[in-house]
Amino acid sequence: MGETATREDTRPIALRSLALAAVVALLAALSIAFFPGHSLLASDTQIYLPILEHLRDPSVLAGDPVAQRPHVSFTVYDEVALALRGAGIDFETALLAQQFVFRALGILGVWLVASSMGLGFGMATVTAAVFSLGAVIGGPTVLTVEYEPVPRGFAIPLLVLAMGCAAHGRDLLAGAAASVAFLYHPPSAVTFWGVYFLLSLWPSSVKVMSRRVLGLAPLLAGVLVMLVLSRMQGGVSEVQPFFGRIDPELERLQRLRGSYNWISTWGAMWAPQYVFLWAASLFAYWRVRRDAVQDLRFFLIGLPALGIASMPLSWLLLEKLKWVVAPQVQPARALLFVTLIAGVLACVVGAKTAAKGRWWEAGLWFVLAYAIPTQSRLFDVIESPGAIALVVGLAALATFAAWAEARKLHWAMAGAAAAALLPFLLVPLLPEAPRAPNPHTPELDALSRWARESTPVDSMFLFPDAGKTLAPGIFRARALRAVYVDWKGGGQVNFLRRFAQEWWERWQRTGAGRFKPWHVPAYGRWGIDYFVLKRGVLVPGFTPVYANGGYAVYATTAPGNLMAP
């Protein structure tokens, strides 16, 4: 009898866990497939994939400055990708699989936060769904849900999961998740660990303090792992002095290529939005403070506070002290926690006030929650009738769903499901909604295949009329052929001083992305074997060695014959 009763008691818990796993997987799949979507080789994976290919086989991209100088020593991003590649999984698949897993873990973290504050299954799911829609953090140019499988995109969901575990008193699990986040992307994890250190020192009972201190153990293990792996990193050709300063020439290049690090270039435009969201998060916290356990309170207050503090800190470290490491740490990107916490708390307060029948207040909170993912500039919502209609409609739906769940009405779950799932289908209909870009074209893919199959592995290519477009970087990663210079590759000026000088010299030498016919005779002397132009741009005296509907390839040494694509 006792065993039977025990099995019956645990069955609802098991069913709830299965339901939660299914919901989390569904939200992650919708987030990747519909909105905000996912992308590859549209941003920093243009840098990471060539680095990984070169680390795996040093003969690949051996002449490419971007691949030659890996900056992944203090992260397990490369070790995990290389291990999966050794198991027979190609890099792109390995990264995309990790992206799905980590997005799902972040969604689970938000669900845990919401449920710890008393929300039922349905409204905790709505809160997690709104988080999974992502948000653009304008100014420092970062995302709460990264489009690409990059280290930060893996670390942030793990930190959210750690916050959810801490909210349920699972400090060891929280520490483990945050430590893995630290191993993937230390700058993102610093903010979380700063709050957790304060929490572990806060006077409490011996039992509680012991539990919190136990959460620090995984971090120690993570630091040791990082130190060991950093010593084993191959291919590092340039070391940045930790206490160095940014000289005027390097500052000029970084302001040109990485202006998002310099708050003086965007602060006036974006700071008011983050101050508003910070104030909203504080007011929201005050409304539901009694529903949050002490551990969670630290994060709900501390993460946004450190996010706001990152703006003056960034200004001090970078623009006044000129600390050379500041562009690598990118402290202002902690602003993403201001938006993230504001969105989560808006959903929680909306659900709580709707349950009490405070329709207008609940609706306003849900309007804020749904507006965040629809616009990078939050107040632009009022300029778009379509955005206003959508946000207000979703807010009304969520309000009624929360009210129905509080009263245990039979249709409550259906209302919560609609409020959670409809945004994935409707938000992408807004032309201004930020979404993952897709820079790939059949012509560029065909060009990459031709180069990979028909040119020597040590060939050097130049795209002299590409300007600041992404085509050269996509080509580098897909063709596995060196690119002499491109705009996106110049992003490493934040990390590497000598690379910055070399990149700028090459960029200027080849016309700064603008084709100049009188440069062609010099291409061979610069080590360039092929140059690629948009189809229709003619070069007197040269015949393409390959052409398709978008591009024509010319050899610098001996003009070849046109080959059909």
Short mmCIF file of all heavy atoms in Angstrom, two decimals, residues 521-557:
data_model
loop_
_atom_site.label_atom_id
_atom_site.label_comp_id
_atom_site.label_asym_id
_atom_site.label_seq_id
_atom_site.Cartn_x
_atom_site.Cartn_y
_atom_site.Cartn_z
N PRO A 521 47.16 45.75 -60.88
CA PRO A 521 48.54 45.26 -61.11
C PRO A 521 49.31 44.97 -59.82
O PRO A 521 50.26 44.20 -59.85
CB PRO A 521 49.19 46.41 -61.89
CG PRO A 521 48.04 47.10 -62.57
CD PRO A 521 46.92 47.03 -61.59
N ALA A 522 48.91 45.59 -58.72
CA ALA A 522 49.64 45.39 -57.46
C ALA A 522 49.12 44.19 -56.67
O ALA A 522 49.78 43.78 -55.70
CB ALA A 522 49.55 46.65 -56.60
N TYR A 523 47.98 43.64 -57.05
CA TYR A 523 47.40 42.57 -56.26
C TYR A 523 48.36 41.39 -56.09
O TYR A 523 48.49 40.83 -55.00
CB TYR A 523 46.10 42.07 -56.91
CG TYR A 523 44.91 43.00 -56.76
CD1 TYR A 523 43.76 42.81 -57.51
CD2 TYR A 523 44.94 44.07 -55.87
CE1 TYR A 523 42.66 43.64 -57.39
CE2 TYR A 523 43.85 44.92 -55.74
CZ TYR A 523 42.72 44.71 -56.50
OH TYR A 523 41.64 45.53 -56.39
N GLY A 524 49.01 41.00 -57.16
CA GLY A 524 49.94 39.89 -57.09
C GLY A 524 51.08 40.15 -56.13
O GLY A 524 51.49 39.26 -55.37
N ARG A 525 51.59 41.38 -56.11
CA ARG A 525 52.68 41.72 -55.20
C ARG A 525 52.23 41.66 -53.74
O ARG A 525 53.04 41.44 -52.84
CB ARG A 525 53.21 43.12 -55.51
CG ARG A 525 53.82 43.27 -56.88
CD ARG A 525 54.68 44.52 -56.97
NE ARG A 525 53.96 45.74 -56.62
CZ ARG A 525 53.27 46.48 -57.48
NH1 ARG A 525 53.20 46.10 -58.75
NH2 ARG A 525 52.66 47.58 -57.08
N TRP A 526 50.96 41.87 -53.50
CA TRP A 526 50.43 41.83 -52.14
C TRP A 526 50.06 40.41 -51.71
O TRP A 526 49.55 40.22 -50.60
CB TRP A 526 49.21 42.72 -52.02
CG TRP A 526 49.51 44.18 -52.27
CD1 TRP A 526 50.71 44.80 -52.16
CD2 TRP A 526 48.58 45.18 -52.69
NE1 TRP A 526 50.61 46.13 -52.47
CE2 TRP A 526 49.30 46.40 -52.80
CE3 TRP A 526 47.22 45.19 -52.98
CZ2 TRP A 526 48.70 47.59 -53.19
CZ3 TRP A 526 46.62 46.38 -53.37
CH2 TRP A 526 47.35 47.57 -53.46
N GLY A 527 50.31 39.43 -52.56
CA GLY A 527 50.02 38.04 -52.21
C GLY A 527 48.62 37.59 -52.55
O GLY A 527 48.19 36.50 -52.16
N ILE A 528 47.89 38.40 -53.30
CA ILE A 528 46.50 38.08 -53.68
C ILE A 528 46.52 37.24 -54.95
O ILE A 528 47.11 37.64 -55.96
CB ILE A 528 45.69 39.36 -53.88
CG1 ILE A 528 45.63 40.16 -52.57
CG2 ILE A 528 44.29 39.04 -54.39
CD1 ILE A 528 45.14 41.58 -52.74
N ASP A 529 45.89 36.08 -54.92
CA ASP A 529 45.84 35.19 -56.07
C ASP A 529 44.60 35.41 -56.93
O ASP A 529 44.66 35.28 -58.16
CB ASP A 529 45.87 33.73 -55.61
CG ASP A 529 47.11 33.41 -54.80
OD1 ASP A 529 48.22 33.50 -55.35
OD2 ASP A 529 46.95 33.08 -53.59
N TYR A 530 43.49 35.73 -56.29
CA TYR A 530 42.23 35.94 -57.01
C TYR A 530 41.52 37.15 -56.43
O TYR A 530 41.57 37.40 -55.22
CB TYR A 530 41.30 34.72 -56.87
CG TYR A 530 41.86 33.42 -57.38
CD1 TYR A 530 42.55 32.57 -56.51
CD2 TYR A 530 41.71 33.03 -58.70
CE1 TYR A 530 43.06 31.36 -56.95
CE2 TYR A 530 42.22 31.82 -59.16
CZ TYR A 530 42.90 31.00 -58.28
OH TYR A 530 43.41 29.80 -58.73
N PHE A 531 40.84 37.90 -57.29
CA PHE A 531 39.97 38.94 -56.79
C PHE A 531 38.57 38.73 -57.35
O PHE A 531 38.40 38.29 -58.49
CB PHE A 531 40.51 40.35 -57.06
CG PHE A 531 40.71 40.70 -58.51
CD1 PHE A 531 39.78 41.46 -59.21
CD2 PHE A 531 41.86 40.30 -59.18
CE1 PHE A 531 39.98 41.81 -60.54
CE2 PHE A 531 42.07 40.64 -60.51
CZ PHE A 531 41.14 41.40 -61.19
N VAL A 532 37.57 39.02 -56.52
CA VAL A 532 36.17 38.72 -56.82
C VAL A 532 35.41 40.02 -56.91
O VAL A 532 35.44 40.85 -55.99
CB VAL A 532 35.56 37.83 -55.71
CG1 VAL A 532 34.13 37.45 -56.08
CG2 VAL A 532 36.41 36.59 -55.48
N LEU A 533 34.72 40.21 -58.01
CA LEU A 533 33.91 41.42 -58.22
C LEU A 533 32.46 41.03 -58.45
O LEU A 533 32.16 39.90 -58.85
CB LEU A 533 34.42 42.20 -59.43
CG LEU A 533 35.84 42.76 -59.33
CD1 LEU A 533 36.29 43.32 -60.68
CD2 LEU A 533 35.91 43.83 -58.26
N LYS A 534 31.58 41.97 -58.17
CA LYS A 534 30.18 41.74 -58.48
C LYS A 534 30.01 41.60 -59.99
O LYS A 534 30.68 42.30 -60.76
CB LYS A 534 29.33 42.89 -57.95
CG LYS A 534 29.36 43.00 -56.43
CD LYS A 534 28.70 44.27 -55.95
CE LYS A 534 28.87 44.43 -54.44
NZ LYS A 534 28.34 45.72 -53.96
N ARG A 535 29.14 40.72 -60.39
CA ARG A 535 28.93 40.45 -61.81
C ARG A 535 28.53 41.73 -62.52
O ARG A 535 27.67 42.48 -62.06
CB ARG A 535 27.85 39.40 -62.00
CG ARG A 535 27.70 38.91 -63.43
CD ARG A 535 28.96 38.18 -63.88
NE ARG A 535 28.90 37.78 -65.27
CZ ARG A 535 28.47 36.58 -65.68
NH1 ARG A 535 28.07 35.68 -64.80
NH2 ARG A 535 28.47 36.26 -66.96
N GLY A 536 29.17 42.00 -63.62
CA GLY A 536 28.89 43.21 -64.39
C GLY A 536 30.01 44.23 -64.31
O GLY A 536 30.08 45.14 -65.14
N VAL A 537 30.90 44.09 -63.34
CA VAL A 537 32.06 44.97 -63.23
C VAL A 537 33.17 44.38 -64.08
O VAL A 537 33.66 43.28 -63.81
CB VAL A 537 32.53 45.12 -61.77
CG1 VAL A 537 33.73 46.03 -61.68
CG2 VAL A 537 31.38 45.66 -60.91
N LEU A 538 33.58 45.08 -65.11
CA LEU A 538 34.56 44.57 -66.06
C LEU A 538 35.95 45.06 -65.72
O LEU A 538 36.14 46.17 -65.23
CB LEU A 538 34.18 45.01 -67.48
CG LEU A 538 32.79 44.56 -67.97
CD1 LEU A 538 32.53 45.10 -69.37
CD2 LEU A 538 32.67 43.05 -67.94
N VAL A 539 36.93 44.21 -66.01
CA VAL A 539 38.33 44.55 -65.79
C VAL A 539 39.05 44.39 -67.14
O VAL A 539 39.24 43.27 -67.61
CB VAL A 539 38.98 43.64 -64.73
CG1 VAL A 539 40.41 44.09 -64.46
CG2 VAL A 539 38.16 43.63 -63.46
N PRO A 540 39.44 45.49 -67.79
CA PRO A 540 40.09 45.39 -69.10
C PRO A 540 41.33 44.50 -69.04
O PRO A 540 42.16 44.63 -68.15
CB PRO A 540 40.46 46.85 -69.41
CG PRO A 540 39.50 47.67 -68.60
CD PRO A 540 39.27 46.88 -67.36
N GLY A 541 41.42 43.59 -70.00
CA GLY A 541 42.58 42.72 -70.08
C GLY A 541 42.47 41.45 -69.27
O GLY A 541 43.36 40.60 -69.33
N PHE A 542 41.39 41.29 -68.53
CA PHE A 542 41.20 40.09 -67.71
C PHE A 542 39.91 39.38 -68.10
O PHE A 542 38.90 40.02 -68.41
CB PHE A 542 41.13 40.45 -66.23
CG PHE A 542 42.47 40.74 -65.60
CD1 PHE A 542 43.07 41.97 -65.78
CD2 PHE A 542 43.11 39.79 -64.83
CE1 PHE A 542 44.29 42.24 -65.20
CE2 PHE A 542 44.33 40.05 -64.25
CZ PHE A 542 44.93 41.28 -64.43
N THR A 543 39.98 38.08 -68.10
CA THR A 543 38.81 37.24 -68.33
C THR A 543 38.53 36.44 -67.07
O THR A 543 39.45 35.88 -66.48
CB THR A 543 39.06 36.27 -69.50
OG1 THR A 543 39.36 37.03 -70.66
CG2 THR A 543 37.83 35.41 -69.76
N PRO A 544 37.30 36.37 -66.64
CA PRO A 544 37.01 35.63 -65.41
C PRO A 544 37.41 34.16 -65.51
O PRO A 544 37.24 33.53 -66.56
CB PRO A 544 35.50 35.77 -65.25
CG PRO A 544 35.13 36.98 -66.05
CD PRO A 544 36.08 36.99 -67.20
N VAL A 545 37.94 33.63 -64.44
CA VAL A 545 38.20 32.20 -64.37
C VAL A 545 36.98 31.46 -63.85
O VAL A 545 36.89 30.24 -63.94
CB VAL A 545 39.42 31.90 -63.48
CG1 VAL A 545 40.68 32.49 -64.09
CG2 VAL A 545 39.21 32.41 -62.06
N TYR A 546 36.06 32.21 -63.28
CA TYR A 546 34.80 31.65 -62.82
C TYR A 546 33.79 32.78 -62.73
O TYR A 546 34.14 33.92 -62.38
CB TYR A 546 34.93 30.99 -61.45
CG TYR A 546 33.60 30.60 -60.84
CD1 TYR A 546 32.99 29.40 -61.18
CD2 TYR A 546 32.94 31.44 -59.94
CE1 TYR A 546 31.76 29.05 -60.64
CE2 TYR A 546 31.71 31.10 -59.40
CZ TYR A 546 31.12 29.90 -59.75
OH TYR A 546 29.90 29.56 -59.24
N ALA A 547 32.55 32.49 -63.06
CA ALA A 547 31.49 33.51 -62.94
C ALA A 547 30.16 32.82 -62.71
O ALA A 547 29.93 31.69 -63.16
CB ALA A 547 31.44 34.38 -64.19
N ASN A 548 29.30 33.51 -62.00
CA ASN A 548 27.91 33.08 -61.88
C ASN A 548 27.04 34.32 -61.91
O ASN A 548 27.52 35.41 -62.26
CB ASN A 548 27.68 32.21 -60.63
CG ASN A 548 27.98 32.96 -59.32
OD1 ASN A 548 27.80 34.17 -59.22
ND2 ASN A 548 28.40 32.21 -58.30
N GLY A 549 25.79 34.19 -61.54
CA GLY A 549 24.88 35.32 -61.65
C GLY A 549 25.20 36.49 -60.74
O GLY A 549 24.68 37.59 -60.93
N GLY A 550 26.05 36.29 -59.74
CA GLY A 550 26.34 37.35 -58.79
C GLY A 550 27.78 37.81 -58.75
O GLY A 550 28.06 38.96 -58.39
N TYR A 551 28.71 36.92 -59.13
CA TYR A 551 30.12 37.23 -58.95
C TYR A 551 30.94 36.77 -60.15
O TYR A 551 30.57 35.82 -60.87
CB TYR A 551 30.66 36.56 -57.68
CG TYR A 551 29.96 36.97 -56.42
CD1 TYR A 551 28.90 36.23 -55.92
CD2 TYR A 551 30.36 38.11 -55.73
CE1 TYR A 551 28.23 36.61 -54.77
CE2 TYR A 551 29.71 38.50 -54.57
CZ TYR A 551 28.64 37.75 -54.10
OH TYR A 551 28.00 38.14 -52.96
N ALA A 552 32.07 37.44 -60.31
CA ALA A 552 33.07 37.03 -61.30
C ALA A 552 34.43 37.01 -60.61
O ALA A 552 34.76 37.93 -59.87
CB ALA A 552 33.10 37.98 -62.49
N VAL A 553 35.20 35.94 -60.86
CA VAL A 553 36.50 35.76 -60.22
C VAL A 553 37.59 35.92 -61.27
O VAL A 553 37.51 35.35 -62.36
CB VAL A 553 36.62 34.36 -59.58
CG1 VAL A 553 37.95 34.22 -58.84
CG2 VAL A 553 35.45 34.12 -58.62
N TYR A 554 38.62 36.69 -60.90
CA TYR A 554 39.75 36.92 -61.79
C TYR A 554 41.02 36.46 -61.11
O TYR A 554 41.21 36.68 -59.90
CB TYR A 554 39.88 38.40 -62.14
CG TYR A 554 38.66 38.97 -62.83
CD1 TYR A 554 37.59 39.49 -62.10
CD2 TYR A 554 38.56 38.99 -64.22
CE1 TYR A 554 36.47 40.01 -62.72
CE2 TYR A 554 37.44 39.51 -64.86
CZ TYR A 554 36.40 40.02 -64.10
OH TYR A 554 35.29 40.53 -64.72
N ALA A 555 41.91 35.82 -61.89
CA ALA A 555 43.22 35.45 -61.37
C ALA A 555 44.18 36.61 -61.58
O ALA A 555 44.16 37.26 -62.64
CB ALA A 555 43.74 34.20 -62.07
N THR A 556 45.02 36.87 -60.60
CA THR A 556 45.93 38.02 -60.71
C THR A 556 47.15 37.72 -61.56
O THR A 556 47.78 38.63 -62.10
CB THR A 556 46.41 38.45 -59.32
OG1 THR A 556 47.08 37.36 -58.70
CG2 THR A 556 45.25 38.88 -58.46
N THR A 557 47.50 36.44 -61.72
CA THR A 557 48.74 36.09 -62.43
C THR A 557 48.52 35.93 -63.92
O THR A 557 49.17 36.59 -64.73
CB THR A 557 49.32 34.80 -61.85
OG1 THR A 557 48.30 33.78 -61.85
CG2 THR A 557 49.81 35.03 -60.43
#
